[in-house]
């Protein structure tokens, strides 16, 4: 009986934490430099939504000292299902660091099917390669 209460309490806390996350900003990004294993501060990032045949600008931000933008989606706009694009301006970042890069911009296109969820887009970056995935 005690283990059932603990399980129910854990499920309740999980549901509450999911609601709290969904109530916050629905989109965050994180940039890590694979070359040195450190966060990438100062990377300009834009967010766009696919509308018809065009991409509509929604927001812009710059990664902080931890390489993060915790709230990229516009605060007063409804987060809706659809196709979005996050563009990392990596050429500017590497130029400031005195480095060359093969990828001056890295666009990451993703589809939102459930607007109640949080979407986290990490970018693992080096001058001549990158990787991304849906984070949490």
């Amino acid at each position: 009986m005690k283990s059932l209460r603990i399980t129910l309490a854990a499920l309740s806390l999980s549901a509450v934490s999911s609601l709290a996350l969904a109530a916050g900003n629905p989109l965050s990004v994180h940039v890590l430099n694979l070359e040195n294993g450190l966060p990438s501060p100062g990377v300009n990032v834009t967010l766009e939504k696919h509308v018809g045949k065009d991409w509509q600008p929604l927001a812009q931000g710059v990664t902080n000292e931890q390489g993060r933008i915790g709230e990229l989606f516009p605060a007063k706009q409804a987060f809706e299902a659809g196709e979005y694009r996050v563009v990392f301006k990596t050429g500017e970042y590497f130029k400031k660091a005195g480095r060359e890069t093969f990828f001056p911009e890295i666009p990451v296109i993703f589809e939102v099917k459930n607007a109640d969820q949080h979407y986290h887009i990490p970018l693992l970056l080096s001058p001549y390669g990158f990787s991304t995935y849906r984070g949490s």
Side-chain angles (χ1 to χ4, degrees):
M1 188 67 168
K2 184 176 180 180
S3 64
L4 178 60
R5 277 189 240 153
I6 292 172
T7 302
L8 289 174
L11 289 172
S12 296
L13 286 174
S14 175
V16 169
S17 67
S18 294
L19 288 174
L21 186 58
N25 195 284
L27 181 63
S28 58
V29 299
H30 191 192
V31 183
L32 293 170
N33 187 332
L34 287 175
E35 193 173 33
N36 59 18
L38 298 173
S40 300
V43 176
N44 286 304
V45 181
T46 59
L47 172 65
E48 304 165 324
K49 183 174 184 190
H50 199 207
V51 179
K53 294 181 181 182
D54 299 317
W55 289 98
Q56 174 187 355
L58 295 179
Q60 184 273 334
V62 179
T63 57
N64 63 19
E65 290 302 313
Q66 292 83 38
R68 296 179 183 274
I69 301 174
E71 299 180 343
L72 186 56
F73 196 80
K76 296 182 181 184
Q77 190 166 336
F79 190 52
E80 303 169 336
E83 265 189 18
Y84 292 84
R85 177 169 65 185
V86 173
V87 181
F88 297 90
K89 309 291 185 175
T90 52
E92 297 168 3
Y93 167 76
F94 280 114
K95 185 175 182 178
K96 287 180 202 171
R99 301 290 316 274
E100 291 185 11
T101 183
F102 187 68
F103 300 102
E105 288 188 349
I106 299 174
V108 178
I109 299 170
F110 60 99
E111 185 174 9
V112 170
K113 292 185 179 182
N114 185 345
D116 293 334
Q117 294 181 356
H118 180 83
Y119 291 79
H120 181 68
I121 312 294
L123 179 68
L124 305 175
L125 178 63
S126 76
Y128 298 98
F130 65 91
S131 179
T132 189
Y133 57 95
R134 180 176 177 188
S136 59

